[in-house]
């Protein structure tokens, strides 16, 4: 038994109307000849609109009182882009030096349309040319609106952000504005259900100096030792090495020295602000940019300066949810889980971080199978590893203007996403 798939094809536009401030076209299919109304952004081709205008122009009333009405109707029709048409038009102005849009010539464009209507011109190429000029003007207006949106977003982000260097927001790829669904935050926030069951314990050390915090006498060493004892057997100190020295989480420049959960000193500690265990809490010192990618991955993050291996880049902020609550969320794209919060006996984590509605710059970091960032847990205001900060550190030296990436395969709840990185095709099959 065989079946044949029929392609639905629109024959022509036969009428138009405005409903709720939206232009609708009545279209007729070729087979079967069914009629229905369709919004402009659902039209498969601008060719249908041009041919409709060609048939419409000769039928327009010629009375003096109808001149303005004719112009408004035709202008409203030809300025409507079909799906992705403005973005495609925007691409035509991209050069080796970047995006170079023309200056607005709005008066000339309107004059051309007036002549077209007045002289009853029905030449396809002339109408198509006028329509393109009008769409260029529409694109310029959309671009101006977009730039204002991105600039306003950039200002708002930097007012809220705890990064020590300003974050930039750019889009030179398409006309997409910054996601309006995002409420920018710095710290993890708890839903009511998560907060009720959260067990927050913070303990300070008695160290008098940064050097003391690098020794086993620092109380934070006990937490690190307990975690390491589960991950790997305790290694004996090398010959000649002081027994009270430990492998600290950071070097004296604040660079990460290991991948294991780190316990930073906090506000209850006696050590000073220069303590080597205080890195993430000081905020990122890397100049970053949120940008629209050319790879089809939506928004991404890149560094505007070179980053040394081990440098703290950013942390993942969002809503902390209980597992049961996270499962009910409509969008799972930004649900974040780590192996340290995963209960393998239950098959899921106790807590999940959701960066969709509330989040920060880290929610825009894309996947790569060979990432330049590593995901590490840092505990600052809680000794519980499962409620530690999820932080991104440079996994290697990163060049300026390079896009930042993590490996989603390291995150329990991101296995369902499709890989679009440059090093593979699709491992989520």
């Amino acid at each position: 038994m065989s079946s044949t798939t029929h392609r639905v094809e629109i024959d022509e536009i036969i009428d138009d109307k405005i409903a709720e401030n939206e232009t609708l076209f009545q279209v007729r299919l070729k087979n079967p000849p069914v009629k229905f109304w369709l919004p402009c952004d659902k039209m498969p081709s601008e060719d249908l609109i041009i041919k409709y205008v060609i048939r419409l122009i000769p039928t327009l009333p010629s009375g003096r009182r109808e001149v303005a009405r004719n112009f408004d109707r035709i202008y409203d029709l030809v300025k409507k882009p079909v799906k992705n048409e403005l973005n495609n038009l925007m691409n035509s102005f991209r050069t080796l030096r970047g995006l170079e849009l023309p200056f607005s010539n709005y008066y000339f464009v309107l004059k051309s349309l007036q002549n077209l209507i007045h002289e009853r011109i029905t030449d396809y190429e002339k109408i198509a040319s006028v329509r393109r000029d009008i769409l260029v003007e529409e694109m310029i207006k959309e671009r101006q609106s977009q730039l204002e949106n991105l600039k306003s977003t950039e200002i708002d982000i930097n007012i809220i952000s705890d990064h020590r260097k300003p974050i930039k927001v750019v889009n030179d790829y398409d006309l997409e504005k910054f996601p309006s669904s995002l409420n920018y935050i710095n710290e993890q926030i708890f839903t009511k259900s998560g907060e009720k069951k959260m067990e927050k314990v913070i303990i300070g050390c008695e160290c008098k100096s940064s050097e003391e915090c690098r020794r086993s006498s620092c109380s934070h060493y006990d937490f690190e030792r307990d975690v390491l004892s589960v991950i790997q057997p305790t290694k004996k100190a090398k010959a000649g090495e002081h027994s009270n020295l430990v492998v600290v989480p950071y070097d004296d420049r604040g660079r990460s020295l290991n991948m294991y959960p780190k316990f930073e000193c906090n506000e209850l500690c006696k050590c000073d602000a220069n303590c080597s265990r205080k890195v993430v809490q000081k905020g990122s010192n890397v100049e970053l940019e949120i940008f629209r990618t050319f790879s089809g991955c939506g928004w991404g993050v890149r560094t505007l300066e070179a980053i040394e291996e081990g440098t703290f880049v950013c942390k993942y902020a969002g809503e902390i949810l209980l597992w049961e609550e996270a499962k009910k969320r409509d969008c799972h794209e930004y649900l974040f889980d780590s192996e340290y919060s995963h209960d393998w006996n239950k098959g899921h984590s106790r807590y999940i971080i959701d960066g969709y509605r509330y989040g920060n710059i880290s929610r825009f970091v894309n996947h790569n199978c060979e990432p330049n960032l590593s995901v590490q847990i840092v505990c600052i205001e809680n000794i519980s590893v499962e409620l530690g900060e999820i932080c991104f550190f440079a996994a290697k030296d990163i060049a300026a203007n390079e896009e930042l990436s993590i490996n989603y395969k390291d995150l329990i709840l991101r296995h369902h996403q499709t890989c679009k990185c440059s090093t593979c095709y699709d491992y989520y099959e």
Side-chain angles (χ1 to χ4, degrees), residues 245-257:
L245 288 177
V246 299
V247 178
V248 294
Y250 309 111
D251 64 14
D252 56 2
R253 295 172 57 192
R255 294 176 300 184
S256 176
L257 293 175

Side-chain angles (χ1 to χ4, degrees), residues 221-269:
Y221 169 66
D222 296 333
F223 308 131
E224 291 168 342
R225 181 192 58 195
D226 291 342
V227 173
L228 289 175
S229 67
V230 175
I231 298 175
Q232 66 177 18
T234 304
K235 295 182 179 180
K236 296 181 178 180
K238 296 179 180 179
E241 185 178 16
H242 297 292
S243 59
N244 63 340
L245 288 177
V246 299
V247 178
V248 294
Y250 309 111
D251 64 14
D252 56 2
R253 295 172 57 192
R255 294 176 300 184
S256 176
L257 293 175
N258 59 63
M259 290 282 291
Y260 306 126
K262 311 175 191 301
F263 291 82
E264 290 198 0
C265 287
N266 53 64
E267 59 185 12
L268 299 182
C269 296

Side-chain angles (χ1 to χ4, degrees), residues 409-427:
K409 288 190 289 186
D410 295 335
L411 313 175
I412 306 302
L413 289 180
R414 289 207 176 185
H415 285 185
H416 67 283
Q417 294 193 1
T418 301
C419 177
K420 296 180 181 179
C421 76
S422 58
T423 56
C424 69
Y425 291 100
D426 187 357
Y427 56 79

Side-chain angles (χ1 to χ4, degrees), residues 314-378:
C314 60
K315 63 183 178 183
Y316 197 85
E319 295 177 277
I320 296 184
L321 315 174
L322 294 175
W323 169 263
E324 294 76 12
E325 187 177 1
K327 289 191 301 181
K328 299 176 182 178
R329 290 287 170 102
D330 294 331
C331 178
H332 289 180
E333 185 177 352
Y334 299 97
L335 295 181
F336 208 123
D337 186 12
S338 73
E339 61 179 313
Y340 296 110
S341 64
H342 200 73
D343 188 335
W344 297 103
N345 294 322
K346 294 183 179 180
H348 60 73
S349 296
R350 184 182 180 189
Y351 295 104
I352 305 296
I353 299 181
D354 185 1
Y356 175 62
R357 294 185 297 189
Y358 295 87
N360 67 347
I361 188 173
S362 62
R363 83 193 284 276
F364 299 108
V365 175
N366 287 314
H367 161 82
N368 197 300
C369 288
E370 296 180 2
N372 50 24
L373 298 180
S374 63
V375 180
Q376 302 180 32
I377 303 299
V378 179

Side-chain angles (χ1 to χ4, degrees), residues 34 86 180 187 209 214 220 271 284 366 397-398 423 425:
V34 179
L86 285 186
S180 60
E187 305 295 336
S209 67
R214 298 175 66 87
H220 290 97
C271 55
S284 173
N366 287 314
D397 290 342
I398 305 173
T423 56
Y425 291 100

Side-chain angles (χ1 to χ4, degrees), residues 270-335:
K270 298 295 180 62
C271 55
D272 57 33
N274 296 321
C275 175
S276 61
R277 281 186 179 270
K278 295 179 178 179
V279 174
V280 170
Q281 60 195 267
K282 293 180 179 179
S284 173
N285 195 33
V286 180
E287 190 174 4
L288 302 176
E289 181 177 78
I290 303 172
F291 75 107
R292 192 74 171 169
T293 69
F294 283 71
S295 60
C297 293
W299 295 91
V301 180
R302 60 187 168 205
T303 175
L304 300 181
E305 61 181 299
I307 307 176
E308 289 186 351
E309 180 180 352
T311 300
F312 167 60
V313 176
C314 60
K315 63 183 178 183
Y316 197 85
E319 295 177 277
I320 296 184
L321 315 174
L322 294 175
W323 169 263
E324 294 76 12
E325 187 177 1
K327 289 191 301 181
K328 299 176 182 178
R329 290 287 170 102
D330 294 331
C331 178
H332 289 180
E333 185 177 352
Y334 299 97
L335 295 181

